[in-house]
């Protein structure tokens, strides 16, 4: 597609349920990032994929969070046993690669609300 | 540690000029980005600086001083549609972006 696509755009679920968020990056982009943004806050880095390299998971807040990227394209962020503090907008971004001038292109995000 | 600082909120008048500052302390430097984010929307890329000096792009300009760990975004001829948050981000030693919390810019008529 023309841009980064994320689904669903909104997700409301009960505390304790598992959720899956999907990101479809720009075609040909090898780098993919997941961020979390709470209301009025900056971007919190979660995880980063670059090509076939092992992902950088250093930003994942707990072992309830995991992500995978299949075939170097689509990525899924999974949150198990959701808690109310997981409520936020989850943003996905992609870039052609890393290094130098490589701006990240963002999807519209998934607004996650935990009841 | 790594740190990006920018003002939380600024107010300016339509038609005027505003300067949004960003200071940073990072391990390694591979460029500084400015992004614009309207409420409820995704961030969009505005500018990139890797060398010292001023980069001009229409009504928006961005300045960098690497020795001072300092950048600013200059917005001229402000329009109401410029009301948004402006995010400063630094590409560190591993080329990942370290993000500031953003500056909310309010434009008044």
């Amino acid at each position: 597609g023309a841009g980064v696509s994320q689904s669903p755009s909104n997700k409301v679920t009960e505390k304790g349920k598992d959720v899956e968020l999907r990101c479809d990056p720009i075609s040909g982009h090898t780098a993919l990032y997941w961020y979390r943004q709470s209301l009025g806050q900056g971007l919190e880095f979660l995880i980063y994929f670059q090509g076939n390299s092992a992902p950088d998971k250093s930003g994942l807040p707990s072992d309830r969070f995991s992500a995978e990227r299949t075939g170097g394209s689509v990525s899924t962020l999974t949150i198990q046993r959701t808690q109310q503090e997981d409520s936020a907008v989850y943003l996905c971004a992609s870039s052609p690669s890393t290094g130098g001038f490589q701006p990240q292109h963002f999807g519209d995000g998934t607004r996650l609300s935990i009841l | 540690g790594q740190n990006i600082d920018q003002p939380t909120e600024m107010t300016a008048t339509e038609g005027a000029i505003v300067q949004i500052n960003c200071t940073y302390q990072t391990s390694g430097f591979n460029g500084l980005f400015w992004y614009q984010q309207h409420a409820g929307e995704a961030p969009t890329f505005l500018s990139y600086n890797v060398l010292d000096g001023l980069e001009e792009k229409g009504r928006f300009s961005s300045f960098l001083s690497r020795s001072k760990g300092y950048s600013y975004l200059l917005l001229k001829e402000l329009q109401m549609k410029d009301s948004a948050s402006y995010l400063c981000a630094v590409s560190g030693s591993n080329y990942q972006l370290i993000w500031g919390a953003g500056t909310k810019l309010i434009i008044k008529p």
Side-chain angles (χ1 to χ4, degrees), chain B residues 25-69:
Chain B
Q25 289 180 305
T26 58
S27 56
F29 180 82
N30 288 294
L32 185 144
F33 295 81
W34 283 96
Y35 280 76
Q36 180 190 60
Q37 185 177 27
H38 285 101
E41 298 182 10
T44 55
F45 169 74
L46 285 179
S47 69
Y48 172 75
N49 295 70
V50 68
L51 299 177
D52 290 351
L54 188 68
E55 294 282 341
E56 297 186 79
K57 190 185 295 185
R59 294 189 299 113
F60 293 6
S61 302
S62 56
F63 171 84
L64 175 67
S65 169
R66 287 171 297 172
S67 63
K68 295 182 179 178

Side-chain angles (χ1 to χ4, degrees), chain B residues 5-36:
Chain B
D5 285 317
Q6 47 182 136
T8 303
E9 187 173 296
M10 298 183 70
T11 302
T13 304
E14 189 177 16
I17 299 173
V18 70
Q19 177 176 311
I20 303 174
N21 296 325
C22 171
T23 58
Y24 63 89
Q25 289 180 305
T26 58
S27 56
F29 180 82
N30 288 294
L32 185 144
F33 295 81
W34 283 96
Y35 280 76
Q36 180 190 60

